[in-house]
Amino acid sequence: MLLASSSPRTLTQHHALADRYLAELRRCTESHFDLTAGVIATVDGIELASISNQGRYRPGHLPALASTLLAVAAAASRQVDQSACERLIVESGASKLLIKPVGGGSALLLCLALPSHVLLGKVLWAAEEITRAVRDI
């Protein structure tokens, strides 16, 4: 078991914890709502744990996209004197995408792709649960 320390985890340490990250992703999403794809990744776009419930989606592509979108959101937040971006939600007629930094100095992000009928409140709850659990690992 890796102990939490004041220094950020290395990529090797994150890879060693990938099964635990995946377990939290599953625990907070399975049987709670329809999930198209879910990914926990590094902020620079390296996938660590993922779930895909539809063959046409490749969760490995989400981290790079999520990283870029969060960087744009952070820049926009700075322009209007806001604090750091806590989450980014992209909605279209057919789907929703939630991107959330895990926080706690972890340099990880969570990305959830969902069908449009999923209630956003459930997704926000799950995202908070997942990120809290991953920070506590």
Side-chain angles (χ1 to χ4, degrees):
M1 181 166 139
L2 296 173
L3 298 175
S5 68
S6 59
S7 62
R9 289 189 171 128
T10 66
L11 184 57
T12 302
Q13 290 170 321
H14 282 303
H15 278 294
L17 294 169
D19 287 341
R20 292 178 68 190
Y21 296 161
L22 181 59
E24 291 302 328
L25 190 57
R26 285 190 170 135
R27 180 183 69 81
C28 295
T29 59
E30 288 180 350
S31 79
H32 295 287
F33 52 83
D34 291 336
L35 179 70
T36 304
V39 179
I40 295 174
T42 64
V43 292
D44 54 350
I46 298 170
E47 176 186 346
L48 298 171
S50 67
I51 298 172
S52 179
N53 293 323
Q54 293 187 7
R56 71 177 194 255
Y57 287 94
R58 294 168 60 190
H61 290 192
L62 289 175
L65 171 70
S67 179
T68 300
L69 288 172
L70 275 178
V72 170
S77 292
R78 283 191 302 275
Q79 288 299 313
V80 294
D81 294 326
Q82 295 289 326
S83 60
C85 178
E86 294 180 16
R87 75 182 67 85
L88 179 64
I89 300 167
V90 179
E91 294 184 78
S92 71
S95 63
K96 296 176 185 170
L97 179 64
L98 179 130
I99 305 165
K100 180 174 178 27
V102 169
S106 71
L108 298 177
L109 60 85
L110 169 68
C111 186
L112 301 174
L114 314 131
S116 63
H117 70 272
V118 173
L119 296 176
L120 196 52
K122 286 185 174 186
V123 176
L124 294 173
W125 172 85
E128 285 300 320
E129 286 293 306
I130 294 165
T131 57
R132 181 197 49 74
V134 167
R135 280 192 309 269
D136 290 346
I137 292 176

